[in-house]
Amino acid sequence: MKNFNKNNFITDLINIIGEKNILTTAWGKLPYSKGWRYGEGNALAVARPETLFEIWRLIEICVDKNVIVIMQAANTGLTGGSTPYGDDYDRPVVIINTKRISDIHILDNGKQIVGFSGSTLIGLEKKLASYGREPHSVIGSSCIGASIVGGVCNNSGGALIKRGPAYTELALYAQIDSSGKLILINDLGIELGNSPKEILNNLQFKNYNEDQIEFPNKRASDNEYEKRVRDIEASTPSRFNADKRRLYGASGCAGKVAVFAVRLDTYPTPKRNQVFYIGTNSSNVLANMRRDILSQFKHLPNSGEYLHRDCYDASKKYSKDTFYVIDKLGADFIPKLFEFKRILDLIAEKLKILPNQFSDRLMQFISKFSFNHLPHRMEEYRDKYEHHWIIEMSDEGIDEAKVYFEKFFQKNEGDFFECDDKEAKKAILHRFVAASALGRYYSINQKNIGSMLSLDIAFPRNELDWFENLPEEIERSFEMKLYYGHLFCHVLHHNYIVKKGIDAQKLMGKLLKYYDSKGAEYPAEHNVGHEYFAKPPLSKFYKDLDPTNSFNPGIGKTSKKKHWN
C-alpha cells in the first residue's frame, strides 16, 4: 500500500490501548489468527481493547489508514468466520478481539439483558440464575465459551426449540457508509447521548437510568419461531443462515459491522425438567414421532437431540476427556482447556521432537485409562438401537410426553426410558461433546486418511426422508460418517472423513448438489464463514451493511477487494 507506514500505524494503536495489548509477533497472534476448527491467515496486529470507546478509536484509525478490521470475541466458530483466511487481502488486516469487554447489564428485572461485545453465554447463564431466567442458549457452543454477540452475528443457536436462533433488532454497532465514513448506530432502545464517546462511555459505565430505557416495537428474540417450527407441512426449513426474515442490523451480519452490544430477551427457568431417552432401528419411527409432537402436543419439548449409533461410539471413544472435564469441573473450565490445548500445540510446533496435534494425542492417550463414563441403560440402548433421540420436556409437558411415548411404543418399533438426573445430564453431555469426535479422530489418524468434511444442513419442515441415503458413487468415498443434530427443527450435522486420495472439494460439490435436490438449505446455524458460499440474499445483506468491504471481507467466499471490486 502506498503511503502506509506500518510502524507509525502500530504506534497509533499502542497509543490507544498500550503496548501489551497490541500483539504483533507470529507467536502472539496465532491463537487469534487461526480458527478454532477451520481457517487461518495473516494479520498485521491483534488489538485487545478494554472499553467500548477504545474499540471505536481503533476502528477510526483503521478506517483512516485503509486497514481491514476483523472483529472477534471467543473465536469458537466452526467455519472460520472470525479470523483472516489466507494472505490475499488487498489491504493490511487488524483483528480486534473483544474478550476483555464482557459486561452484561440486566434490564426489566431480568426479562432482558444488554450483552457487551465480549460477554459469554456462560457468564449470562450465571448472571440470570438469581432472577430465575435463562438465555436463549444454554447448551452446545455455550459450553466452549461462545460469546453472546457472536451468536447474534451468526444467527446461531436454535437447539432450544421454544426459543429459536439468536436474533435481535436492538443493537449498538459501528458501520462504514459508502463514502467511507464511520458512523455509530444506536438501536439499543436506550438514550445514551449523541456523540460516539458519550454513547459508548454511558453504556460502558451504566450512566443511564430506567427512564432512559425504552421498549420500542422491535424484537429482541425470534418470537415467531415456535409457530414456525410447528408448521410441519411447510416446504422450507424452519431456520437457516440465509433466511431473509432474520437478517437485520447486527443479526446475521457475520462481522460486516462492528457490534458493541446487543439487547436480548431472556426466558423463565422451568420448575422441573424430564429427559426421555428414545431408541429405534427405523428413521421413519423418529420422523413420525417428530410430526406428532410438533403438530399435536400442547407443550413443545425444550429440545430434541439426535445421535446415530456410529456417532455414539465415536463420541464415547474420542470425546471422553471433554466429557469428563465438563462433568467434573463444569462448563466454565472448557475455555481454559481449549486455551491450554492451543498453547500446548503451539509449543509442539516449535519443538520438532513432538508430533503435530500433540494435545489431542496426549489427551486421547490419557483417556484410555479412565472408566466407562456412560450409564448402563444408555449402553443397553446402544447395543439394541441404531438411532438415539434425547428429548427434554418441562413442567406440564412432562406428563403429556410420557402418555404419548407409552402409547406410541405399544404399536411401533423401539422403546424409551425416563432418565434419572444423573442419566439426563450424561445423555445430553454425551450428545454435545460428539462434535469434537471427528476432529480428534482426524488428529491422531491423519497420515492414513483423507480430509475432513462437515455439512450443517436444514431440511424442509415437511421432509420425511431425513436420514442420509447417498448414491453409491458418493457413499464409497468415505472412511467415516458421523450423524447428529436437532431433529425437531430438522437441522442435521453430518461429519465425514474422506478416504485417502479422494478429491474432497469435488466430493463436497457432489454432496451439496445432492442436498440441493432435496430442498435443503446450508449452512443452518454455523454460518458461512469461509467454508460456504453466501447465497444471494446473504451476500446482498453483507454488501448493504458494508459497501466499502472494510469489515471481514471475503466472508461467504465473497470478494476481498475494497468496494467489492
Side-chain angles (χ1 to χ4, degrees):
M1 274 177 59
K2 293 180 179 179
N3 303 320
F4 179 77
N5 186 303
K6 173 184 172 181
N7 292 333
N8 289 346
F9 175 73
I10 296 296
T11 299
D12 288 340
L13 299 182
I14 289 171
N15 288 337
I16 295 173
I17 62 174
E19 189 170 2
K20 70 176 182 179
N21 293 312
I22 299 294
L23 309 178
T24 57
T25 66
W27 174 269
K29 293 184 293 185
L30 193 58
Y32 306 91
S33 60
K34 184 175 183 178
W36 182 66
R37 188 193 71 85
Y38 180 84
E40 62 182 297
N42 188 44
L44 183 63
V46 176
R48 300 174 62 249
E50 190 176 19
T51 69
L52 299 175
F53 188 56
E54 285 179 351
I55 297 177
W56 174 266
R57 293 181 65 200
L58 291 168
I59 297 173
E60 276 188 316
I61 290 176
C62 291
V63 171
D64 183 58
K65 301 298 183 184
N66 197 27
V67 171
I68 288 168
V69 173
I70 296 179
M71 299 294 295
Q72 178 192 91
N75 190 18
T76 57
L78 296 176
T79 56
S82 56
T83 63
Y85 186 75
D87 300 319
D88 56 342
Y89 294 89
D90 62 344
R91 293 150 286 168
V93 175
V94 165
I95 299 169
I96 298 179
N97 183 279
T98 62
K99 280 182 70 175
R100 298 173 70 208
I101 311 171
S102 58
D103 294 356
I104 297 169
H105 292 175
I106 302 293
L107 307 182
D108 195 19
N109 200 33
K111 293 178 182 176
Q112 288 190 333
I113 61 97
V114 173
F116 286 23
S117 49
S119 57
T120 65
L121 286 165
I122 289 175
L124 179 56
E125 189 177 352
K126 286 183 174 182
K127 194 146 190 172
L128 288 173
S130 62
Y131 293 88
R133 311 284 294 186
E134 292 180 342
H136 84 275
S137 180
V138 296
I139 49 180
S141 60
S142 60
C143 292
I144 56 172
S147 71
I148 296 169
V149 167
V152 169
C153 291
N154 293 296
N155 286 140
S156 57
L160 301 183
I161 61 175
K162 291 189 246 185
R163 305 179 188 183
Y167 179 77
T168 187
E169 295 165 6
L170 300 167
L172 176 64
Y173 57 93
Q175 188 172 22
I176 300 171
D177 68 16
S178 57
S179 68
K181 182 182 177 183
L182 181 67
I183 54 176
L184 184 66
I185 297 175
N186 180 12
D187 275 345
L188 270 182
I190 303 174
E191 294 178 19
L192 294 166
N194 298 308
S195 71
K197 185 175 183 179
E198 253 189 317
I199 293 169
L200 294 169
N201 283 340
N202 283 338
L203 179 63
Q204 180 92 52
F205 303 110
K206 211 169 184 180
N207 292 328
Y208 59 89
N209 56 46
E210 288 187 9
D211 293 338
Q212 292 168 276
I213 302 172
E214 300 165 349
F215 292 88
N217 187 26
K218 289 185 176 182
R219 295 187 178 95
S221 63
D222 189 353
N223 58 7
E224 301 170 340
Y225 188 70
E226 182 170 340
K227 180 180 178 182
R228 186 171 177 82
V229 79
R230 281 185 179 274
D231 186 0
I232 58 172
E233 302 303 337
S235 59
T236 56
S238 57
R239 60 183 174 99
F240 57 99
N241 288 124
D243 186 354
K244 290 188 287 186
R245 299 166 51 258
R246 289 296 174 257
L247 300 176
Y248 185 103
S251 293
C253 73
K256 299 304 290 180
V257 294
V259 183
F260 295 97
V262 293
R263 182 171 165 182
L264 293 168
D265 290 333
T266 67
Y267 302 85
T269 303
K271 293 181 177 64
R272 57 192 185 108
N273 293 302
Q274 176 63 56
V275 170
F276 296 91
Y277 200 98
I278 293 160
T280 179
N281 288 306
S282 170
S283 60
N284 290 333
V285 166
L286 298 190
N288 292 333
M289 291 179 70
R290 171 188 172 271
R291 290 174 64 84
D292 286 349
I293 292 169
L294 290 177
S295 62
Q296 298 173 19
F297 272 35
K298 182 179 180 182
H299 305 284
L300 277 184
N302 299 352
S303 63
E305 295 305 306
Y306 170 74
L307 196 68
H308 184 264
R309 177 191 278 154
D310 291 344
C311 195
Y312 181 108
D313 292 345
S315 181
K316 178 181 176 181
K317 183 174 182 179
Y318 296 108
S319 302
K320 193 175 189 179
D321 51 303
T322 307
F323 182 103
Y324 267 115
V325 168
I326 297 176
D327 188 41
K328 304 301 181 185
L329 301 177
D332 345 16
F333 192 79
I334 286 294
K336 298 184 183 74
L337 175 67
F338 280 101
E339 190 64 28
F340 171 72
K341 282 176 85 281
R342 279 181 177 175
I343 293 169
L344 202 59
D345 286 335
L346 289 173
I347 293 171
E349 285 181 20
K350 296 285 185 181
L351 302 175
K352 302 301 182 184
I353 59 170
L354 295 176
N356 290 336
Q357 307 297 326
F358 176 67
S359 67
D360 279 313
R361 294 173 184 275
L362 176 63
M363 294 176 76
Q364 187 62 33
F365 176 76
I366 293 171
S367 71
K368 291 180 180 179
F369 299 98
S370 56
F371 296 108
N372 184 4
H373 55 293
L374 298 179
H376 178 68
R377 286 200 289 181
M378 280 177 60
E379 292 285 75
E380 285 186 331
Y381 268 48
R382 181 263 164 226
D383 293 338
K384 291 170 66 175
Y385 301 117
E386 179 182 0
H387 303 285
H388 298 238
W389 200 11
I390 305 156
I391 296 179
E392 182 176 24
M393 302 296 299
S394 60
D395 300 332
E396 294 88 349
I398 296 172
D399 292 336
E400 183 179 19
K402 185 178 179 181
V403 169
Y404 169 80
F405 295 145
E406 288 173 345
K407 185 176 180 181
F408 182 88
F409 285 113
Q410 287 174 6
K411 299 179 180 179
N412 293 275
E413 185 270 336
D415 206 350
F416 81 102
F417 66 85
E418 296 178 66
C419 295
D420 61 30
D421 289 346
K422 186 176 180 180
E423 289 171 328
K425 180 183 177 183
K426 291 194 171 188
I428 292 171
L429 186 51
H430 183 58
R431 154 63 188 89
F432 278 98
V433 299
S436 64
L438 190 84
R440 174 64 57 78
Y441 178 85
Y442 180 79
S443 293
I444 61 181
N445 294 287
Q446 56 186 286
K447 287 184 179 180
N448 304 313
I449 55 180
S451 302
M452 286 191 296
L453 291 179
S454 64
L455 277 180
D456 169 28
I457 315 162
F459 287 107
R461 284 164 280 176
N462 63 356
E463 178 63 68
L464 296 175
D465 188 18
W466 60 272
F467 188 70
E468 186 172 73
N469 184 20
L470 294 169
E472 178 57 28
E473 174 200 3
I474 300 176
E475 183 70 40
R476 61 173 176 256
S477 301
F478 296 114
E479 183 84 25
M480 173 186 276
K481 300 182 300 177
L482 302 180
Y483 302 135
Y484 57 94
H486 320 293
L487 201 53
F488 281 116
C489 48
H490 259 188
V491 168
L492 276 297
H493 303 302
H494 293 175
N495 291 345
Y496 312 94
I497 297 287
V498 178
K499 288 181 178 177
K500 199 164 189 175
I502 298 289
D503 187 322
Q505 290 309 305
K506 283 186 179 179
L507 183 59
M508 177 64 101
K510 291 178 181 178
L511 281 168
L512 295 181
K513 188 174 181 181
Y514 170 77
Y515 282 109
D516 285 338
S517 72
K518 294 179 73 70
E521 291 281 355
Y522 49 84
E525 63 182 11
H526 295 159
N527 217 346
V528 288
H530 291 284
E531 198 168 21
Y532 295 89
F533 279 97
K535 293 184 178 180
L538 200 53
S539 60
K540 181 182 183 302
F541 179 61
Y542 294 158
K543 290 176 182 179
D544 290 344
L545 283 177
D546 185 19
T548 65
N549 204 17
S550 298
F551 286 117
N552 209 10
I555 202 77
K557 299 186 184 291
T558 58
S559 170
K560 292 182 177 179
K561 307 294 183 185
K562 188 158 189 181
H563 297 292
W564 304 86
N565 293 325

